[in-house]
Amino acid sequence: MCIRDRHGGERRLADQLDRDFELVSHNTHPYQLFTYESNNRYLAKENEDYEVRQAGGKTLEDEMLTYFDQLINAERAKLAEGEELSVERLTDIVLNVLRKARAQQRRPAQDSRGPDGNIQDYLEVRRPFIAPTPNLHTH
């Protein structure tokens, strides 16, 4: 018996299809689970945004669009009559708005300065060490 006969491509494909069919029929295929999870995250965000809007608040996307409109209107006010914003300037504005939104999503406490001018990235005041070790090691 040849190795090719035992482990042929047709047999492997048939075995994989049988396995995939079994996983799909039991609703446990990894692609199905990934799709369900991503759809659930999307629907949860949509529901959260709906509740925020119903309560009279603004979502991050709404605030981002408002900020974008303000920047566009400010740039158009600087232009002479009959002039239009260039594509490069519009691209810069869009990228800056997206950069700011991304920063607010990932690290909202950073990049914000307090009234004293220091960046407010720590929630507590740094305390001095009470009893430092004399040998300059921690054990």
Side-chain angles (χ1 to χ4, degrees):
M1 183 178 224
C2 179
I3 292 178
R4 185 180 56 182
D5 295 335
R6 251 186 0 190
H7 304 289
E10 297 86 5
R11 181 73 256 156
R12 285 185 181 181
L13 182 62
D15 290 344
Q16 185 64 42
L17 287 174
D18 287 344
R19 182 174 181 274
D20 286 342
F21 178 77
E22 182 180 358
L23 289 172
V24 167
S25 62
H26 290 294
N27 213 17
T28 57
H29 196 279
Y31 291 150
Q32 281 178 312
L33 299 177
F34 172 76
T35 303
Y36 295 153
E37 182 182 339
S38 64
N39 282 340
N40 286 338
R41 276 193 308 245
Y42 172 76
L43 290 174
K45 183 176 181 342
E46 288 294 316
N47 287 334
E48 181 182 330
D49 290 350
Y50 175 76
E51 289 174 4
V52 167
R53 288 184 181 116
Q54 289 297 318
K58 284 187 166 187
T59 63
L60 179 66
E61 290 84 8
D62 295 339
E63 290 177 3
M64 188 172 69
L65 286 174
T66 304
Y67 181 65
F68 177 70
D69 287 339
Q70 289 173 354
L71 289 178
I72 292 291
N73 291 335
E75 286 293 321
R76 284 189 177 148
K78 295 177 186 176
L79 296 175
E81 188 174 335
E83 281 188 281
E84 290 290 326
L85 284 173
S86 66
V87 174
E88 292 84 11
R89 185 60 189 137
L90 281 172
T91 304
D92 288 342
I93 293 172
V94 169
L95 291 177
N96 286 335
V97 169
L98 291 175
R99 217 174 278 125
K100 184 174 180 178
R102 197 175 309 118
Q104 288 298 317
Q105 284 178 330
R106 292 198 178 150
R107 44 192 173 90
Q110 293 180 357
D111 298 335
S112 57
R113 296 188 181 267
D116 57 354
N118 293 327
I119 296 176
Q120 302 296 316
D121 55 352
Y122 298 106
L123 298 177
E124 62 183 32
V125 178
R126 182 176 173 151
R127 296 181 298 272
F129 294 110
I130 295 173
T133 58
N135 298 332
L136 299 174
H137 57 80
T138 57
H139 59 280

